[in-house]
Amino acid sequence: MFKFIGATWKFFWQGVTSLRTFLFNFIFLLIVIVIITSVFTAPDKSIPNETALLVAPQGYLVDQRTYKPTPSEMLFGFNDRVAETPLLELTNTIRQAADDKRITALVFQLDQFVGGGLSKMEELGQAITHFKESGKPVYAFADNYSQQQYFLASYANKIYMNDMGNLLLTGFGMYRNYYQQLSDKLSLKFHVFRVGDYKDAVEPYMRNGMSDESREHNARWINELWQRYTNTIARNRDKPETLVSNYIGSLGTKPTLEAESLSSIALAAGLVDELGSRADINLALVELLGKEEDGENFKAVDYQRYRNATLSMPNNKAAIGLIVATGTIVDGHRDKGMIGGESLISLIKQAREDKSLKALVIRVNSGGGSAFASEMIRDEIVAAGDDNLPVYISMGSVAASGGYWIATPAKQIWATPATITGSIGVWGLLPNVSDSIERLGIHSDGVGTTALSDIYHIERPLSGKAKNLIQRGVNDVYSRFLTIVAEARESDPASVHEIAGGRVWTGEAAKSLGLVDNLGSLYDLFNTVASTENLDDYQITVIEKPLSASEEIMRVLMDEVSVRIQTSALSGPLQNLMLLKTLNENNAITGQLNSLMKLAQAFNVSIEAGEQPPTMAHCLECYAP
């Protein structure tokens, strides 16, 4: 009997071992095949003379790619992910092409572009304008145009659209769900602690609708951004400032069978220059740019091919360091996509130890997060300045609340006019389920040594003393925030409080209020840093957590993979456009949900560990366009 069991087990284990060996060998062989294929099918990197540069931005414009591939992604690519286009790489390449005599024009194909926020698109627009100023034309084409796609297209000298397409402009909006009635039905309480009537990140748990204060300050900045959007398009198209508003008004008329097509309305309004099928648009571009020798398409070199062919190796020029800080600020170490306090501190220390760096630029894209992590990062930036490494801040789409906190000690703070910043305020949130569990017949009881012993047991009512203690902690953090800003901006806490209280400002308004020093793009800041630090010539050194050997290999391989946004099989151009627009606008919703989940996780971890939940300097509404 035992011999039979032993023989069976031995046979089974040999089978498992053989299967494991086969799988590992299969994966290894697959990787080898991919590497060999990539080597032997590498595209020709030579750039022909007199050719256009074709740019087809994918997905979202980002300051830094988020790279953490799963095993399946490493083997089969990233086809189920929304793509990312690094902004700095794209703008630098376009500026280089402007001075390249081989490049005669710039062509944007925008069907796969999702968005990136007004601030980033303006920075890209600055590079496009520089290209046009070199005397070379810019063309844009797409089947349809969403609001963000069209903003980029407006920088072109000529805009083409499919005659069955649509140009959908709707305006900016910010809408949130409010949960007070639901909380009442579930007997669920949220104890809210905040400073600042305009710090409305916690309002969804307190109310069933937007407060007057929230409506006031959000309407101000969102209308400022919309005005900037419409004015930029009108200026780019050399049309009256009422161009966009008149067009949106024309879309609201009652449809009839005899009415003009949506594409014809856009053409008549002067928003696009020419309509046609894909073949017609290609033929029009062939007439302008010439034809490829081995095909029917217009003559152009792909952006990635051009970039790979023109990449230069690092040299011995003086260097300006660049650190990208993107996402919610949390304690500890985090991967790209979140700002871990310890992670960012490590990068700043790495920059301090690099003696080739003459200055450091930190690009901030964050609505804030943990006040403690923000202060630790700020303290490290102060230490860098004391160590004779000047630190400059470039605000991206958003640098608010904790994002502004970490910017305060910089030698100079730069924002774009469309940056969302400010939101100087503090809040804390503590859920309580004591009434909920009582309705289920569950009761909490016990003993403690003081009146505060049960303060972080969410199944027990929160006492008045506990509420006072937590609110005092929030008040202390807010007072510290005001003092930090006042000292950095050469003001006083009382004056800062007048423009704080959680109010959100655009970069343009923040400049007038003295919260930032200058308005401009990341490119503008680099030029200013070079001038201020007396650098006649310089190179940019990106400081980031190094990839492992296997990750670096896979990154190189994945650069050869064409990443495409997977779209639904909806029929008709209008439905496809609506899907793309929904993906675009839901980026704001996704950002809010992700932030809520991360903040909730931070609270839960603290409570389970018996620690005080973190006090947050965070701006949820700052994920709007």
Side-chain angles (χ1 to χ4, degrees):
M1 179 66 178
F2 288 106
K3 286 184 178 181
F4 174 76
I5 295 175
T8 303
W9 176 254
K10 182 178 179 180
F11 176 78
F12 171 76
W13 191 250
Q14 287 177 340
V16 170
T17 301
S18 299
L19 179 61
R20 184 176 69 249
T21 302
F22 170 79
L23 288 175
F24 275 111
N25 289 341
F26 174 78
I27 294 172
F28 174 77
L29 182 61
L30 188 59
I31 292 175
V32 170
I33 292 173
V34 170
I35 294 174
I36 294 174
T37 303
S38 299
V39 170
F40 285 98
T41 62
D44 180 11
K45 293 186 178 181
S46 62
I47 305 300
N49 290 320
E50 297 186 351
T51 185
L53 174 62
L54 175 61
V55 178
Q58 304 285 305
Y60 292 103
L61 289 176
V62 295
D63 286 316
Q64 182 183 60
R65 281 194 179 100
T66 56
Y67 183 82
K68 192 175 182 181
T70 64
S72 62
E73 288 174 332
M74 293 175 73
L75 288 174
F76 304 112
F78 300 104
N79 292 329
D80 57 348
R81 281 180 49 191
V82 175
E84 297 172 334
T85 298
L87 176 64
L88 185 59
E89 288 182 8
L90 182 55
T91 55
N92 285 346
T93 303
I94 291 175
R95 290 180 185 278
Q96 184 172 2
D99 301 324
D100 191 332
K101 294 181 180 180
R102 296 169 297 179
I103 302 300
T104 58
L106 179 62
V107 181
F108 274 92
Q109 202 283 331
L110 294 171
D111 283 311
Q112 299 298 328
F113 177 64
V114 175
L118 187 59
S119 172
K120 290 187 180 67
M121 291 194 299
E122 283 189 330
E123 292 191 75
L124 178 53
Q126 183 189 51
I128 299 172
T129 301
H130 173 76
F131 187 93
K132 291 163 64 178
E133 290 171 348
S134 70
K136 303 174 183 179
V138 178
Y139 305 102
F141 70 95
D143 291 336
N144 303 282
Y145 289 101
S146 70
Q147 197 154 264
Q148 298 212 30
Q149 288 171 335
Y150 183 74
F151 186 81
L152 278 189
S154 73
Y155 285 90
N157 297 95
K158 194 166 187 178
I159 302 175
Y160 298 89
M161 187 172 74
N162 195 294
D163 53 12
M164 285 190 65
N166 180 31
L167 197 170
L168 186 59
L169 304 181
T170 61
F172 293 159
M174 193 199 78
Y175 304 94
R176 292 189 293 185
N177 294 324
Y178 291 79
Y179 309 109
Q180 183 185 24
Q181 186 174 357
L182 174 63
S183 299
D184 291 343
K185 289 181 177 180
L186 299 175
S187 298
L188 177 63
K189 297 177 182 177
F190 289 97
H191 295 291
V192 174
F193 308 90
R194 65 172 178 170
V195 181
D197 293 337
Y198 299 89
K199 196 66 177 177
D200 51 8
V202 291
E203 279 194 358
Y205 306 99
M206 303 166 56
R207 307 173 53 88
N208 289 320
M210 187 177 283
S211 69
D212 292 339
E213 292 84 1
S214 179
R215 191 176 303 277
E216 172 197 332
H217 87 105
N218 284 313
R220 172 180 40 75
W221 64 260
I222 205 167
N223 278 294
E224 287 177 20
L225 292 186
W226 178 243
Q227 191 68 44
R228 186 168 188 85
Y229 177 94
T230 59
N231 288 349
T232 299
I233 288 177
R235 182 175 63 251
N236 289 345
R237 300 292 294 164
D238 195 22
K239 300 287 185 181
E241 291 185 355
T242 56
L243 172 67
V244 172
S245 60
N246 289 343
Y247 174 71
I248 293 177
S250 69
L251 297 178
T253 58
K254 186 176 180 179
T256 65
L257 291 176
E258 295 78 19
E260 289 182 286
S261 66
L262 293 170
S263 59
S264 298
I265 295 175
L267 179 66
L271 289 167
V272 299
D273 298 298
E274 193 169 320
L275 302 176
S277 65
R278 290 181 177 181
D280 293 335
I281 294 172
N282 180 68
L283 182 60
L285 290 172
V286 166
E287 293 176 356
L288 291 168
L289 305 172
K291 183 188 294 185
E292 290 282 6
E293 294 181 359
D294 56 350
E296 297 297 320
N297 294 323
F298 61 89
K299 189 176 181 181
V301 60
D302 177 75
Y303 162 78
Q304 193 61 53
R305 175 184 167 188
Y306 178 77
R307 180 174 177 273
N308 291 340
T310 55
L311 280 176
S312 57
M313 297 299 292
N315 50 41
N316 294 323
K317 296 178 182 178
I320 300 174
L322 173 64
I323 294 176
V324 175
T326 298
T328 302
I329 301 173
V330 295
D331 299 301
H333 291 272
R334 293 294 188 276
D335 292 317
K336 294 176 184 177
M338 294 180 70
I339 302 175
E342 297 298 333
S343 305
L344 185 51
I345 288 171
S346 296
L347 293 180
I348 298 172
K349 286 181 177 178
Q350 182 179 330
R352 289 172 59 188
E353 295 168 358
D354 188 344
K355 300 307 177 185
S356 70
L357 298 183
K358 305 304 179 183
L360 174 64
V361 172
I362 301 178
R363 172 74 160 188
V364 179
N365 260 304
S366 175
S370 165
F372 181 80
S374 300
E375 173 59 11
M376 295 302 100
I377 295 168
R378 187 196 73 88
D379 191 52
E380 187 61 32
I381 294 175
V382 171
D386 293 341
D387 204 20
N388 296 318
L389 179 65
V391 179
Y392 297 78
I393 295 293
S394 169
M395 293 180 171
S397 298
V398 55
S401 205
Y404 185 78
W405 188 313
I406 67 177
T408 54
K411 186 172 182 178
Q412 290 183 23
I413 300 176
W414 283 59
T416 72
T419 294
I420 299 174
T421 187
S423 192
I424 300 171
V426 182
W427 60 270
L429 181 71
L430 194 64
N432 188 273
V433 297
S434 57
D435 290 346
S436 301
I437 65 172
E438 281 195 12
R439 290 180 58 184
L440 297 174
I442 302 172
H443 304 274
S444 175
D445 198 3
V447 294
T449 57
T450 72
L452 299 176
S453 294
D454 62 351
I455 186 172
Y456 296 130
H457 288 262
I458 63 172
E459 76 281 5
R460 295 183 57 76
L462 198 62
S463 68
K465 287 186 177 181
K467 294 177 183 178
N468 293 338
L469 175 63
I470 298 174
Q471 184 63 55
R472 183 172 180 177
V474 171
N475 294 346
D476 287 347
V477 174
Y478 182 66
S479 296
R480 186 180 184 87
F481 202 167
L482 293 181
T483 301
I484 287 170
V485 175
E487 291 176 351
R489 308 310 300 171
E490 297 181 352
S491 182
D492 59 86
S495 298
V496 174
H497 177 66
E498 291 298 317
I499 58 174
R503 294 175 181 86
V504 174
W505 307 100
T506 62
E508 195 165 18
K511 172 66 167 60
S512 67
L513 294 170
L515 290 174
V516 302
D517 297 297
N518 291 291
L519 297 178
S521 65
L522 182 59
Y523 175 82
D524 296 327
L525 176 54
F526 278 129
N527 288 337
T528 299
V529 172
S531 175
T532 304
E533 304 301 330
N534 300 313
L535 305 178
D536 295 331
D537 200 6
Y538 68 92
Q539 63 183 355
I540 298 170
T541 300
V542 179
I543 301 166
E544 56 186 348
K545 179 183 176 183
L547 298 176
S548 67
S550 60
E551 288 176 330
E552 184 62 32
I553 291 172
M554 294 314 302
R555 184 193 64 79
V556 173
L557 293 178
M558 289 305 107
D559 281 345
E560 303 297 329
V561 177
S562 176
V563 183
R564 297 288 175 179
I565 300 172
Q566 299 301 302
T567 56
S568 170
L570 295 175
S571 60
L574 180 58
Q575 290 94 326
N576 287 329
L577 177 62
M578 290 297 293
L579 173 66
L580 190 60
K581 180 177 181 296
T582 300
L583 285 173
N584 180 17
E585 294 185 345
N586 278 351
N587 185 40
I589 299 172
T590 302
Q592 291 187 19
L593 291 175
N594 286 341
S595 287
L596 284 171
M597 292 298 292
K598 291 166 185 173
L599 297 181
Q601 182 182 19
F603 278 109
N604 290 337
V605 169
S606 297
I607 292 170
E608 290 172 2
E611 301 171 355
Q612 178 174 335
T615 301
M616 310 306 292
H618 194 268
C619 172
L620 287 184
E621 69 269 24
C622 294
Y623 288 92

